[in-house]
Amino acid sequence: MKKYKVNIDRQKPSSDEILSKRNFDGLMKQYNASPLKPGKKPFWKKGWFAGSAVTAVIAVSMTVVLLEKNQPEKNNSPAATNSSLQSANTRTPGQMTNTSNTIVPQKRKIAPPLKGMNISFTDFKISSAKGGTVTYNSGSKLIFPENAFVDANGKSVNGNVDIHYREFHDPVDVFLAGIPMQYDSAGKTFQFESAGMMEVTASMNGTPVYLDKNKNVQIQFASENSDSKFSVYLFDTTAGNWIFKGKNNVQQPVSASQLTPKQKAQKEKDDQAKLSALQTQRDDGIAESYRMNAVPAQPRVPIHADKTKHRFPIDCDPREFPEILAYKDVIWTVDESKENFDTKAYDIQWEDFKISKGTEEGKYILTLKKGTTVLKLDVYPSYEGTGLENATKEYDKLYQQYSDALAKRDKAEQTARSNYEIAVNNGGLAYLVSSHVNDAVNVEVTDNFMRVFTISNFGIYNCDCAGDYPGNTRVVLAMKDADGKAMNDLTSLYLVDRHHFGLYSYGGNPVANFTFDSNSSNMLWGVKNGMLYTADDDQFKNVRGQASATFVMKPVLRSFASPDEMKNFFGIHTKRQ
């Protein structure tokens, strides 16, 4: 008898996993491509089918589910090319979403709607060879393995890599960055509710670098939402849609409020010891850079001899003065800025002389002797004729050698300082070298939940839950301006619910099926010719029980200096503000 393996307690797939596998359009194409043969009865008209209809349907359904469950998740998206390093300000705005909930998938783009307003990146440095941990001011961490970076050709890069990172924690962040919050799957557009987003890219000397295909970065993303319903999505900038990447683990770290004063003091003491060790390592590295990279004396620019001044063509031992050792035919010109020269000195047959460095830079002392007579003169080297030409050529050569040696030493010193800064930032010790000493334990210990997942490509990642438009109220919504004219040329239109992290996209005027939660606090944002228009919650409250409504879209006539200023204006706040 043939044995069958039956899995009874198979784990149920999540709603996000079901959405990622569902393809009703493909099923319909297969059905339409297989017409029935003429004269042949459809199988549902055959006698055997009538009594087995329910069984047949159930069997087919179970087969589909089981086959899909056993298939590994595939990602053939071009997003793996890490093309998202381009500046968000240069991206072309996309089209509005269709008013119907069931639409043809469209290519969406990152399109910041307001000129000059966006969410800034924070830059970190990390060693490509050693890897390390980057800690953002929210408490989020990015843990990079060793040798994780490659260039556009897949070749490993060496040196310090610049990590560019930013986060999005509320509707203002997402709106200003122009990030789409819609997800197309199975012929339907879903709206995202988010637990937070982040974008990470990397570069070296201004040129994009990428993650090695065999390396992953662990993300510990700080979120104020502990719900496990959220999954991880990556925005595919080529296809213009989100890619389901899987679930994330939610972890609750030790809260800062749970640490006793004694524990906080001990943590700061331990961190201070780590910082002192890093400072010693930095200073030793700087000293080593000076020892291993000797810099010759800086050569002096040859001075043209002035024939109107008093001069002495005396040779000197080049070993005593390396800064002029290569300059031949030196003429020592008397400096009379402090004392006038007595020309009687020319009448004496001097027996001995000595040249020594003076107290001023570039000045020397010429000491002349005869018997007990001693004359000291302030002098400086000068040249004329071919002597000046030769001296200038020699100076150019010596200065290049000096400049190269100095640059080499400076680079070694800067490496020591840069390694120190990387270690301080990655070790969460930056608060000890800033003015915010009171924030000590908040650098690594926060009240946020941590959403833990790994990434294999740079780009925009979203901890989201795909769902429908929010609300218990549905109306046909028309929009007009303060003069009563219909606003038909809005380039974007969003419902903002102050109690949920979502940015719900609508299009058209009127909107046939506009839904919102009448128990929440709502706003409507629209953009026209680069200006922001809004309808606030008072207009939402007036439409209860109505089938249709008209909102007056008012222009926001003030400019915002920062995203936080815009959040305060609209009353959108997060704990980290």
Side-chain angles (χ1 to χ4, degrees):
M1 179 177 179
K2 187 174 182 180
K3 295 183 179 180
Y4 296 90
K5 183 178 180 180
V6 180
N7 191 340
I8 298 176
D9 297 322
R10 180 178 299 277
Q11 183 178 355
K12 296 178 65 177
S14 68
S15 59
D16 289 311
E17 290 172 321
I18 293 173
L19 287 176
S20 70
K21 304 297 183 183
R22 207 163 58 180
N23 188 356
F24 297 136
D25 292 338
L27 183 60
M28 290 301 297
K29 288 181 180 178
Q30 293 179 25
Y31 167 75
N32 292 330
S34 302
L36 296 173
K37 293 182 180 180
K40 187 175 181 180
K41 285 187 177 182
F43 72 90
W44 60 82
K45 291 187 178 180
K46 293 185 178 181
W48 61 265
F49 178 76
S52 307
V54 175
T55 304
V57 171
I58 293 176
V60 171
S61 299
M62 290 185 63
T63 302
V64 171
V65 172
L66 291 176
L67 286 175
E68 291 289 353
K69 186 68 178 178
N70 287 329
Q71 293 297 318
E73 180 184 348
K74 295 182 179 179
N75 180 11
N76 297 321
S77 166
T81 60
N82 293 293
S83 60
S84 61
L85 189 59
Q86 59 183 320
S87 170
N89 286 318
T90 63
R91 294 166 182 155
T92 306
Q95 301 296 319
M96 293 180 61
T97 304
N98 192 296
T99 57
S100 171
N101 283 348
T102 302
I103 67 169
V104 176
Q106 59 181 288
K107 182 176 180 180
R108 298 183 176 88
K109 298 180 180 179
I110 307 298
L114 302 181
K115 185 177 181 180
M117 288 288 289
N118 209 325
I119 305 303
S120 300
F121 285 90
T122 298
D123 296 333
F124 303 87
K125 283 189 179 294
I126 192 170
S127 168
S128 61
K130 297 179 181 179
T133 301
V134 165
T135 303
Y136 191 59
N137 57 21
S138 66
S140 297
K141 292 185 178 183
L142 291 76
I143 304 174
F144 292 85
E146 299 177 353
N147 303 309
F149 303 96
V150 296
D151 61 18
N153 297 317
K155 183 179 179 181
S156 295
V157 298
N158 296 314
N160 290 332
V161 171
D162 294 309
I163 304 298
H164 316 290
Y165 182 78
R166 60 179 180 168
E167 292 184 350
F168 314 90
H169 290 281
D170 54 53
V172 171
D173 290 344
V174 177
F175 172 75
L176 292 178
I179 299 175
M181 289 288 282
Q182 297 79 42
Y183 174 51
D184 295 332
S185 180
K188 182 175 180 180
T189 291
F190 296 87
Q191 302 294 317
F192 271 150
E193 178 188 351
S194 182
M197 294 190 214
M198 66 87 173
E199 180 176 9
V200 57
T201 61
S203 65
M204 176 179 283
N205 300 322
T207 301
V209 296
Y210 313 97
L211 283 177
D212 186 290
K213 63 181 181 180
N214 297 315
K215 302 287 184 176
N216 291 324
V217 177
Q218 186 186 83
I219 307 297
Q220 298 178 10
F221 183 77
S223 172
E224 295 168 5
N225 194 323
S226 63
D227 201 313
S228 61
K229 68 180 181 180
F230 297 96
S231 300
V232 178
Y233 297 82
L234 168 65
F235 188 73
D236 184 336
T237 56
T238 302
N241 196 22
W242 292 94
I243 303 171
F244 175 77
K245 302 300 289 184
K247 302 296 290 184
N248 58 93
N249 296 322
V250 182
Q251 297 180 358
Q252 170 65 69
V254 176
S255 170
S257 60
Q258 293 176 305
L259 294 179
T260 66
K262 184 176 180 180
Q263 289 173 323
K264 292 180 181 179
Q266 183 61 47
K267 173 175 172 53
E268 186 170 344
K269 181 179 179 181
D270 294 342
D271 285 350
Q272 188 62 60
K274 295 176 184 177
L275 181 65
S276 297
L278 290 175
Q279 290 171 336
T280 299
Q281 185 178 352
R282 175 201 60 193
D283 295 341
D284 290 344
I286 293 174
E288 182 71 4
S289 69
Y290 274 71
R291 187 180 70 83
M292 298 299 294
N293 299 280
V295 178
Q298 182 176 355
R300 299 292 170 193
V301 178
I303 299 175
H304 185 260
D306 187 346
K307 294 182 178 181
T308 65
K309 295 184 179 296
H310 301 291
R311 303 173 297 169
F312 289 86
I314 301 175
D315 291 333
C316 63
D317 187 348
R319 292 173 297 180
E320 294 185 44
F321 308 105
E323 67 271 22
I324 60 172
L325 63 88
Y327 302 164
K328 300 178 180 179
D329 304 320
V330 178
I331 298 175
W332 296 97
T333 299
V334 179
D335 179 13
E336 298 185 80
S337 61
K338 296 180 181 178
E339 184 178 355
N340 292 331
F341 174 70
D342 187 351
T343 57
K344 292 180 180 181
Y346 286 134
D347 299 331
I348 301 174
Q349 189 72 29
W350 299 102
E351 298 172 346
D352 193 14
F353 74 91
K354 181 181 179 182
I355 296 178
S356 58
K357 285 191 175 183
T359 57
E360 297 181 30
E361 194 72 19
K363 300 292 180 65
Y364 298 81
I365 298 175
L366 172 61
T367 303
L368 302 172
K369 291 183 179 181
K370 182 178 182 181
T372 58
T373 302
V374 177
L375 177 62
K376 291 189 177 183
L377 301 171
D378 290 333
V379 296
Y380 57 86
S382 61
Y383 307 85
E384 63 182 2
T386 57
L388 179 62
E389 294 177 5
N390 295 333
T392 301
K393 292 179 181 179
E394 192 64 26
Y395 165 80
D396 291 340
K397 184 178 73 173
L398 293 176
Y399 188 83
Q400 186 62 52
Q401 295 173 356
Y402 161 80
S403 180
D404 292 344
L406 183 63
K408 184 178 180 181
R409 188 186 71 185
D410 287 348
K411 182 178 180 180
E413 178 182 354
Q414 184 57 40
T415 298
R417 295 186 184 278
S418 179
N419 289 339
Y420 164 76
E421 293 175 0
I422 291 173
V424 169
N425 289 328
N426 292 350
L429 306 175
Y431 73 95
L432 293 174
V433 293
S434 70
S435 59
H436 305 291
V437 177
N438 292 332
D439 295 337
V441 297
N442 293 328
V443 174
E444 288 190 335
V445 185
T446 72
D447 290 318
N448 289 317
F449 296 90
M450 289 293 174
R451 297 188 170 274
V452 182
F453 54 97
T454 60
I455 64 174
S456 57
N457 298 291
F458 292 133
I460 300 175
Y461 287 84
N462 200 345
C463 295
D464 276 11
C465 177
D468 210 337
Y469 287 89
N472 51 16
T473 301
R474 182 184 301 273
V475 296
V476 177
L477 179 65
M479 289 151 288
K480 65 180 182 179
D481 61 18
D483 296 326
K485 297 180 179 178
M487 298 195 72
N488 297 324
D489 48 0
L490 293 170
T491 55
S492 55
L493 183 67
Y494 299 103
L495 167 67
V496 180
D497 187 328
R498 287 185 174 94
H499 296 162
H500 293 89
F501 181 5
L503 198 64
Y504 306 101
S505 177
Y506 285 95
N509 188 17
V511 180
N513 295 294
F514 184 83
T515 63
F516 65 95
D517 184 355
S518 61
N519 297 319
S520 189
S521 177
N522 300 283
M523 291 180 291
L524 194 63
W525 288 345
V527 178
K528 175 183 176 181
N529 298 327
M531 176 171 282
L532 178 62
Y533 289 78
T534 182
D536 212 337
D537 194 49
D538 56 340
Q539 299 192 61
F540 284 82
K541 299 300 184 186
N542 294 330
V543 301
R544 290 183 177 179
Q546 300 181 26
S548 63
T550 300
F551 282 3
V552 177
M553 301 295 291
K554 302 175 182 178
V556 179
L557 299 178
R558 61 165 295 174
S559 59
F560 302 108
S562 67
D564 284 345
E565 196 171 294
M566 182 174 172
K567 295 173 189 180
N568 291 332
F569 180 81
F570 285 111
I572 296 177
H573 303 287
T574 57
K575 293 180 182 179
R576 58 180 48 81
Q577 281 188 273

